């Protein structure tokens, strides 16, 4: 009996265990699967697809080892291009310009005086050609001369001489009038003055030429053009850039010098002009130059201190030797204002000659007469254009011929 009860208990336990296993299995099937963490992988290296292909992962291509690479044969090696040769750039010396000869330069530039010619020369000829020269006509002649900046005293002298000669002449043909007017104008300008620019080397050393004038008259440009005039006449020139108060003045002068092979002595901007002028003359002596051209500062004539500086430049330069020329540059278009400038400069330095610039752009050709009378010194050079060789030695006969025409 005891065995029967034990067997029943064992059977019940076994049935319970089997039932628990079945229920547990069903529950496992109903639960959702556990989520897994994402795995991040690097994208494959892209390969450029060929025409008609889609982008595909790269395929490993076979590589050749060093032993497998075939070297070029002898003919191929000979056909290979040789390495390019490195050619060093050789800086070529600048080509020097050859200035035009100065002889007869004013004659070649006669057409530049057309404005002055129409106003002064032809105007006078037209008035003198009238059949009756009454007082009104002589007043018009006088007005024409004054308008051309001839000056009051020279105008009165010329009118009186013309009155006398026309009265004696009687009948007046155009050729006779032209000859009469030519003679009187040349007499008014003067032919006995020394109009040579003294630029010849002497025993003390090179000739020294100071170029003075106010701002805006073309002083530095005139200095450069004068260097060309002297080089054309066979002079060896050294330039002194003593205009240290105007920006780029030294650069401008140096450019002019380089064109004709003239050396330029310069200093720092704002430096002492007298010191630079002194060094320029010293350099001219060392190089055996014929002429030293010193471009002084374009100071205003109303600045007393700056005018004193100009006097200092002249005194310092004279420690090497005498100053041969002091050329005053005047703008012909300024008329009477130019005469005021001339007076002030003449009080500071001894002016030896006048350079009239922009004479082609004014109808006031009479300024030549007025400025000579004012300073008692001759006009030596005139500027008749913007070209490098448009600075000409002044010749009274050629000038008057240009004024009155052929």
């Amino acid at each position: 009996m005891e065995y029967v009860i034990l067997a029943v208990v064992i059977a019940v336990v076994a049935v319970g265990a089997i039932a628990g296993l079945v229920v547990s299995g069903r529950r496992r099937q109903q639960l959702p699967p556990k989520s897994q963490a994402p795995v991040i992988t690097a994208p494959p290296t892209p390969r450029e697809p060929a025409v008609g292909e889609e982008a595909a992962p790269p395929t490993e291509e076979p590589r050749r080892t060093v032993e497998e690479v075939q070297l070029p044969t002898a003919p191929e090696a000979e056909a290979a291009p040789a390495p390019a040769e490195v050619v060093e750039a050789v800086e070529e010396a600048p080509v020097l310009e050859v200035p035009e000869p100065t002889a007869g330069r004013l004659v070649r530039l006669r057409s530049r005086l057309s404005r002055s010619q129409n106003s002064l020369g032809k105007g006078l000829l037209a008035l003198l050609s009238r059949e009756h020269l009454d007082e009104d006509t002589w007043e018009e002649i006088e007005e024409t001369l004054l308008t051309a900046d001839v000056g009051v005293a020279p105008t009165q002298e010329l009118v009186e001489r013309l009155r006398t000669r026309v009265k004696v002449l009687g009948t007046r043909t155009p050729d006779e009038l032209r000859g009469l007017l030519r003679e009187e104008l040349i007499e008014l300008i003067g032919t006995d003055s020394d109009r040579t620019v003294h630029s010849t080397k002497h025993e003390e050393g090179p000739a020294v030429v100071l170029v003075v004038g106010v701002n805006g008259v073309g002083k530095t440009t005139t200095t450069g053009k004068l260097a060309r005039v002297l080089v054309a006449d066979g002079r060896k020139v050294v330039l002194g850039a003593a205009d240290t108060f105007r920006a780029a003045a030294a650069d401008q002068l140096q450019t002019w010098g380089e064109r004709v092979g003239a050396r330029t002595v310069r200093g720092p901007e704002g430096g002492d002009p007298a010191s630079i002028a002194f060094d320029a003359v010293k350099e001219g002596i060392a190089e055996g130059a014929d002429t030293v051209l010193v471009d002084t500062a374009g100071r205003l004539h109303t600045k007393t201190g700056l005018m004193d500086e100009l006097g200092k430049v002249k005194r310092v330069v004279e420690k090497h030797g005498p100053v041969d020329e002091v050329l005053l540059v005047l703008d012909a278009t300024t008329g009477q204002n130019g005469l005021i400038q001339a007076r002030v400069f003449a009080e500071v330095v001894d002016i030896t000659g006048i350079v009239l610039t922009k004479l082609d752009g004014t109808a006031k050709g009479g300024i030549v007469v007025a400025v000579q009378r004012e300073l008692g010194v001759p006009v030596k050079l005139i500027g008749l254009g913007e070209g490098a060789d448009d600075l000409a030695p002044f010749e009274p006969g050629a000038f008057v011929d240009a004024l009155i025409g052929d």
Side-chain angles (χ1 to χ4, degrees):
M1 189 65 180
E2 292 178 357
Y3 292 105
V4 173
I5 295 172
L6 181 60
V8 171
V9 171
I10 292 172
V12 172
V13 173
V15 171
I18 293 170
L21 291 173
V22 172
V23 172
S24 176
R26 290 179 179 177
R27 288 180 179 177
R28 287 179 181 177
Q29 290 179 356
Q30 294 175 357
L31 291 175
K34 294 182 179 180
S35 61
Q36 297 180 353
V39 179
I40 302 174
T41 59
T45 304
R47 180 177 67 86
E48 289 293 334
V51 178
E53 290 184 351
E54 298 292 339
T59 57
E60 185 176 356
E61 297 180 357
R63 298 182 180 180
R64 293 183 296 173
T65 63
V66 175
E67 291 77 5
E68 295 173 340
V69 176
Q70 297 295 327
L71 295 177
T73 60
E76 293 177 350
E78 293 178 357
E85 296 182 0
V86 179
V87 180
E88 296 183 358
V90 179
E91 185 177 352
E92 297 182 359
V95 179
L96 298 182
E97 298 179 6
V98 180
E100 294 182 4
T102 57
R105 186 179 287 189
L106 182 56
V107 176
R108 296 194 300 272
L109 298 174
R110 282 178 58 176
S111 61
R112 306 288 177 83
L113 290 170
S114 58
R115 291 188 62 184
S116 296
Q117 172 181 325
N118 292 334
S119 177
L120 180 57
K122 288 192 174 181
L124 290 176
L125 279 176
L127 292 171
L128 291 172
S129 299
R130 290 181 180 178
E131 185 175 354
H132 300 289
L133 296 178
D134 53 15
E135 288 300 322
D136 291 339
T137 302
W138 287 111
E139 287 182 4
E140 289 185 48
I141 292 174
E142 186 173 333
E143 182 180 352
T144 300
L145 292 168
L146 291 174
T147 303
D149 275 341
V150 173
V152 177
T155 294
Q156 292 175 346
E157 293 177 15
L158 180 58
V159 170
E160 286 301 320
R161 290 204 303 267
L162 287 174
R163 274 177 176 265
T164 302
R165 294 197 61 180
V166 167
K167 186 180 295 185
V168 172
L169 185 62
T171 304
R172 306 176 305 278
T173 65
D175 290 340
E176 289 174 335
L177 283 175
R178 182 175 287 103
L180 182 151
L181 185 59
R182 182 180 187 276
E183 292 176 8
E184 292 300 330
L185 287 175
I186 290 177
E187 179 69 21
L188 192 65
I189 293 173
T191 57
D192 54 352
S193 300
D194 181 11
R195 301 184 187 276
T196 305
V197 177
H198 298 285
S199 56
T200 306
K201 183 178 179 181
H202 40 68
E203 294 181 359
E204 294 84 356
V208 179
V209 179
L210 298 184
V211 183
V212 303
V214 301
N215 291 319
V217 297
K219 179 178 52 56
T220 301
T221 299
T222 298
T223 306
K225 290 182 178 182
L226 179 56
R228 296 178 65 90
V229 169
L230 297 178
V231 169
D233 290 339
R235 305 282 195 273
K236 182 178 181 181
V237 179
V238 171
L239 298 172
D243 186 355
T244 61
F245 298 114
R246 185 172 69 87
D251 293 336
Q252 182 182 357
L253 188 64
Q254 183 172 346
T255 300
W256 278 102
E258 289 173 349
R259 292 177 180 176
V260 292
R263 183 173 179 182
T264 301
V265 177
R266 55 185 297 179
E269 186 176 333
D272 182 16
S275 175
I276 296 171
F278 182 87
D279 291 342
V281 179
K282 181 179 178 181
E283 185 66 26
I285 295 173
E287 291 191 5
D290 296 297
T291 313
V292 177
L293 292 177
V294 180
D295 176 29
T296 62
R299 47 187 53 82
L300 294 174
H301 60 284
T302 55
K303 303 294 184 181
T304 305
L306 293 177
M307 293 300 291
D308 293 341
E309 180 91 21
L310 177 59
K312 175 186 173 183
V313 170
K314 186 174 184 291
R315 292 192 301 271
V316 169
V317 169
E318 286 177 335
K319 293 181 179 180
H320 286 298
V323 174
D324 298 85
E325 290 276 6
V326 179
L327 299 177
L328 174 61
V329 182
L330 295 176
D331 184 343
T333 63
T334 59
Q336 294 299 317
N337 188 42
L339 297 182
I340 298 173
Q341 297 172 17
R343 295 190 196 105
V344 179
F345 275 97
E347 294 173 0
V348 179
V349 290
D350 296 327
I351 305 297
T352 60
I354 305 295
V355 182
L356 280 175
T357 64
K358 308 177 186 177
L359 198 57
D360 60 314
T362 177
K364 300 181 178 182
I367 190 67
V368 172
V369 176
V371 72
Q372 289 186 149
R373 290 292 185 95
E374 181 66 35
L375 297 182
V377 295
V379 172
K380 294 190 173 185
L381 298 162
I382 57 174
L384 295 169
E386 299 296 330
D389 293 321
D390 289 346
L391 185 70
F394 183 73
E395 304 169 25
F399 179 73
V400 172
D401 287 340
L403 288 181
I404 63 177
D406 297 329

